[in-house]
Amino acid sequence: MQNITKYLVLIVLCFHVQSINAQDTIQKPNNHERIEALKVFKETIKKQERNFLKKEVEKINQRLDKGEITNNEAEVLKKEVARKRTLNIENRVAIVDNQISLYRRNAYLKNQDIEKENRIGLMISNRSFSIKGNKRVPKDDVRTSNDLLFAIGFNNAIIEGESFNDSPYKKGGSGFIELGWNWKTRLFKESRFWRFKYGFSFQWNKLNPKEDLYFVQNSNLTSLDNFSTSLKKSEFRVTNLVFPAHLEFGTLKKMDRKDNRIRYINNKQFKIGIGGYAGVNIGTQQKLRYSDNGNNVKQKIRRNYNTNDFVYGLSGYIGFGDTALYVKYDLSAIFKNQIVDQNNISIGVRFDVD
């Protein structure tokens, strides 16, 4: 029995020695790569601390702008945070430098990241036992994100003194398209429920008059008139560049990215947006298509038609995830200085693609 025990111990020791030798053989060539990675990590530390400093200075400037602190107090605070971040860089870089030196002297060491690991150890008879715990690098919480806006739907006009059912514009044929880019900023650092959404977009609002009507401009007066022949198509389009802004609320889903950033996205979450827009008219065009002596004629007439140069209105949406029901209404009249005001109204579907 004793002989068997001796043999077993001998086998275990041989296996242990082989494991150590194999480990040394595998790890030695990797130490150079580890050292190079730590050198890169030193630059990451500097960049991270500078970003933190920039955010702290911005907060101090905000307090200064609000009148919460004086110029002298602001300068003192800036010097304090700058000193803190400088010391942080020195201390953290020193830790990494020590790790690099350790790798250069000892080829047998395992890959360790001092910035990410804490060890509690015990050594007995030249043998060490340790418990390893991970310490994560702080995540960069991104409060502002951006997305693509695309909306499409029906368009018409509310005419002063007339019922919507008596509108001279086709309900099905008239439509709108909106394409733009938005930014979304969480209003509170600790809450993701309230956001301010803003950006820019191009709006194409189209009206298709019924029957054989088309727009005619006589000096400062714009009106609908009957065309001299049957019209196959009558389309009036106004193109606007607007800057929308909405207060959006609803839950967001937290998403940890591999680039050490935290983002919040509206992934299958309920949302509501209330706000408006303002901008300028950048183009007005009328398209006519008809037959003349057996020939098909297409006309594109680009002129002002007395449309308002400045546009503004109210808008809102309610939806789930990236998709929402969207309504917008121009408070500014389509045509300026007319006897009867006409205000553009649109309803459709809106897509905010993260």
Side-chain angles (χ1 to χ4, degrees):
M1 184 67 181
Q2 291 179 349
N3 291 333
I4 295 174
T5 304
K6 290 179 181 178
Y7 289 138
L8 287 174
V9 171
L10 182 61
I11 292 171
V12 170
L13 287 173
C14 291
F15 179 77
H16 183 66
V17 170
Q18 288 177 352
S19 297
I20 293 174
N21 291 335
Q23 190 177 49
D24 287 343
T25 304
I26 292 171
Q27 290 173 355
K28 284 179 182 177
N30 291 334
N31 273 359
H32 175 71
E33 296 178 4
R34 294 167 185 160
I35 291 171
E36 292 302 316
L38 285 171
K39 289 179 180 178
V40 174
F41 186 55
K42 285 169 60 176
E43 297 303 318
T44 302
I45 289 173
K46 295 175 184 177
K47 183 178 179 182
Q48 187 182 67
E49 291 293 338
R50 290 182 188 123
N51 287 337
F52 289 150
L53 174 61
K54 182 180 178 182
K55 292 179 180 179
E56 288 174 335
V57 171
E58 288 176 354
K59 290 180 180 179
I60 294 170
N61 287 333
Q62 289 174 2
R63 293 181 61 191
L64 179 61
D65 292 339
K66 292 178 181 178
E68 296 177 0
I69 56 176
T70 64
N71 286 327
N72 291 335
E73 290 173 331
E75 290 301 319
V76 171
L77 290 174
K78 289 177 184 179
K79 288 179 181 178
E80 288 179 358
V81 294
R83 181 176 177 276
K84 179 182 73 174
R85 294 301 170 186
T86 300
L87 290 175
N88 284 358
I89 291 174
E90 291 177 1
N91 296 153
R92 294 178 68 187
V93 168
I95 293 172
V96 178
D97 284 337
N98 289 335
Q99 183 74 3
I100 291 173
S101 299
L102 197 61
Y103 277 136
R104 284 174 176 164
R105 289 194 307 270
N106 304 282
Y108 60 85
L109 288 178
K110 293 182 179 181
N111 186 18
Q112 298 173 355
D113 187 346
I114 294 297
E115 284 291 321
K116 293 184 179 179
E117 285 189 4
N118 287 330
R119 289 180 177 269
I120 300 174
L122 176 66
M123 181 171 285
I124 302 175
S125 299
N126 294 327
R127 297 196 61 181
S128 62
F129 304 88
S130 64
I131 301 173
K132 181 177 68 175
N134 289 331
K135 181 180 179 181
R136 295 184 179 179
V137 177
K139 291 278 188 177
D140 185 11
D141 191 348
V142 180
R143 291 181 64 178
T144 299
S145 59
N146 54 74
D147 54 48
L148 174 70
L149 163 65
F150 175 72
I152 189 170
F154 301 105
N155 193 67
N156 217 291
I158 294 179
I159 303 174
E160 185 181 3
E162 288 190 15
S163 169
F164 188 71
N165 293 325
D166 297 329
S167 172
Y169 309 115
K170 297 177 182 178
K171 294 183 176 63
S174 303
F176 84 97
I177 293 177
E178 184 170 351
L179 181 65
W181 195 262
N182 284 325
W183 287 266
K184 181 170 57 183
T185 301
R186 289 185 290 124
L187 295 180
F188 305 102
K189 183 178 180 180
E190 304 301 329
S191 173
R192 64 186 88 164
F193 190 78
W194 297 93
R195 287 91 65 186
F196 180 55
K197 196 158 190 174
Y198 52 95
F200 68 91
S201 61
F202 295 94
Q203 294 177 347
W204 292 273
N205 297 324
K206 182 168 67 79
L207 295 172
N208 287 51
K210 295 177 181 177
E211 300 172 352
D212 296 323
L213 297 174
Y214 77 114
F215 281 98
V216 177
Q217 180 180 354
N218 292 316
S219 187
N220 294 328
L221 181 65
T222 301
S223 61
L224 285 169
D225 202 352
N226 286 303
F227 198 65
S228 58
T229 185
S230 178
L231 284 171
K232 294 182 180 180
K233 182 178 183 180
S234 176
E235 177 185 302
F236 185 80
R237 188 181 69 199
V238 178
T239 304
N240 299 323
L241 169 62
V242 298
F243 301 89
H246 294 90
L247 177 63
E248 184 181 278
F249 54 93
T251 56
L252 292 176
K253 182 179 179 181
K254 182 179 179 180
M255 183 177 70
D256 288 336
R257 296 182 58 174
K258 293 182 180 179
D259 59 357
N260 210 42
R261 301 170 71 198
I262 299 175
R263 288 192 60 205
Y264 299 90
I265 60 174
N266 193 287
N267 183 20
K268 298 181 180 179
Q269 305 293 323
F270 183 76
K271 65 179 179 183
I272 295 177
I274 301 172
Y277 52 90
V280 292
N281 176 351
I282 60 175
T284 305
Q285 177 180 273
Q286 182 168 216
K287 290 183 182 180
L288 301 175
R289 194 171 71 186
Y290 56 93
S291 294
D292 185 17
N293 295 324
N295 297 318
N296 288 326
V297 180
K298 295 181 181 179
Q299 256 187 306
K300 290 184 179 180
I301 308 169
R302 291 184 175 89
R303 58 189 306 182
N304 180 263
Y305 285 101
N306 294 315
T307 52
N308 260 311
D309 298 323
F310 180 67
V311 294
Y312 56 94
L314 301 174
S315 56
Y317 52 90
I318 179 171
F320 188 74
D322 292 339
T323 309
L325 178 66
Y326 181 43
V327 178
K328 62 184 183 71
Y329 174 71
D330 285 2
L331 294 175
S332 56
I334 301 173
F335 306 101
K336 59 186 175 184
N337 302 323
Q338 300 297 299
I339 299 173
V340 176
D341 283 339
Q342 301 186 48
N343 297 78
N344 199 83
I345 186 170
S346 309
I347 183 170
V349 181
R350 172 188 176 110
F351 303 94
D352 296 278
V353 186
D354 289 316

